[in-house]
Amino acid sequence: GEDVEQSLFLSVREGDSSVINCTYTDSSSTYLYWYKQEPGAGLQLLTYIFSNMDMKQDQRLTVLLNKKDKHLSLRIADTQTGDSAIYFCAEIYSGGGADGLTFGKGTHLIIQP
Amino acid sequence: EPEVTQTPSHQVTQMGQEVILRCVPISNHLYFYWYRQILGQKVEFLVSFYNNEISEKSEIFDDQFSVERPDGSNFTLKIRSTKLEDSAMYFCASNQGANQPQHFGDGTRLSIL
């Protein structure tokens, strides 16, 4: 079945860029997503990319997709303490039905002052 | 901004009892989903629902589970004869179309004693 893998932890200094990486196995993935989860909260949609795109930028967020290597990354520029959270990578193959997302285990982003 | 709302935020139930988790999807959304996250594990897809019937379901969604849209706003997940291993965070999500991003609620933490 499909699988999505992420590193469990990433520690960066405040003001630096954070790069969170994700690999997936399903070559027929249609969309790839990044969700953010703060303590005690739900999954907040951050951004997503369609599989025929290489890059998407949205303010401080840059998503890069390497479809050949099945590698997705999320870059957060000028990381702030408010960015401290768990970041989940997820993929979906939209075959026409209401398919479910396949999630990674999440990367804990730790911000050092 | 419209939100998916889930109640209760925390549910404690004795093993063997039935439990109903409630969700109010975003009002103009047509597709509804349930996911669960056992502590320390990935967020897993359970079931999707469209046009008053189940669209897709995972292997986890066995006869113990059922979903219902009892009225124009609520979407419920019923778990019959709960087991200890049903303890998890349950997330509801919705989207406008099957290819649109899924928006999540804050989850219900289910604790089975």
Side-chain angles (χ1 to χ4, degrees):
Chain A
E2 304 94 6
D3 196 17
V4 177
E5 295 292 336
Q6 301 176 240
S7 302
L8 287 184
F9 294 96
L10 176 66
S11 179
V12 297
R13 289 190 185 276
E14 190 175 359
D16 287 352
S17 292
S18 306
V19 180
I20 303 171
N21 293 301
C22 167
T23 57
Y24 59 97
T25 58
D26 187 2
S27 57
S28 56
S29 296
T30 314
Y31 290 92
L32 294 120
Y33 294 87
W34 286 103
Y35 284 86
K36 176 183 180 182
Q37 186 179 37
E38 297 182 49
L43 298 168
Q44 175 196 350
L45 175 68
L46 275 183
T47 187
Y48 64 100
I49 190 167
F50 187 50
S51 60
N52 69 353
M53 298 169 64
D54 299 322
M55 186 181 96
K56 181 178 180 181
Q57 186 146 7
D58 184 1
Q59 299 181 330
R60 290 192 298 125
L61 305 179
T62 304
V63 179
L64 294 177
L65 175 61
N66 182 328
K67 202 174 176 186
K68 175 175 165 289
D69 294 339
K70 301 193 192 73
H71 181 268
L72 182 75
S73 68
L74 174 69
R75 179 177 178 269
I76 305 172
D78 186 25
T79 310
Q80 303 297 309
T81 53
D83 296 323
S84 182
I86 303 175
Y87 290 81
F88 291 92
C89 171
E91 65 88 20
I92 193 167
Y93 167 64
S94 285
D99 298 287
L101 293 161
T102 300
F103 282 86
K105 255 190 162 178
T107 298
H108 294 242
L109 179 62
I110 300 161
I111 315 301
Q112 298 173 5
Chain B
E1 187 173 324
E3 291 182 338
V4 175
T5 55
Q6 292 186 241
T7 54
S9 56
H10 191 189
Q11 173 80 45
V12 182
T13 301
Q14 292 288 331
M15 187 171 62
Q17 297 296 304
E18 174 183 287
V19 66
I20 297 175
L21 309 182
R22 302 181 191 280
C23 169
V24 178
I26 294 173
S27 61
N28 63 346
H29 285 189
L30 301 175
Y31 295 80
F32 316 120
Y33 307 80
W34 283 103
Y35 292 80
R36 80 171 184 194
Q37 185 181 29
I38 295 171
L39 188 64
Q41 297 187 24
K42 295 184 179 185
V43 177
E44 301 171 291
F45 168 71
L46 292 178
V47 66
S48 61
F49 193 86
Y50 170 70
N51 201 27
N52 280 321
E53 60 183 26
I54 289 174
S55 179
E56 306 281 345
K57 61 181 181 178
S58 71
E59 294 172 350
I60 304 167
F61 193 87
D62 59 20
D63 292 342
Q64 187 194 5
F65 295 91
S66 62
V67 289
E68 194 179 24
R69 186 143 163 90
D71 52 44
S73 58
N74 289 281
F75 178 53
T76 62
L77 174 69
K78 183 190 288 186
I79 310 174
R80 285 179 283 276
S81 189
T82 48
K83 306 186 284 276
L84 292 176
E85 52 265 37
D86 293 327
S87 294
M89 182 74 93
Y90 288 80
F91 291 105
C92 174
S94 68
N95 56 3
Q96 260 185 323
N99 289 335
Q100 298 299 309
Q102 294 176 26
H103 294 264
F104 284 75
D106 283 347
T108 293
R109 180 168 298 284
L110 178 63
S111 299
I112 308 299
L113 304 179

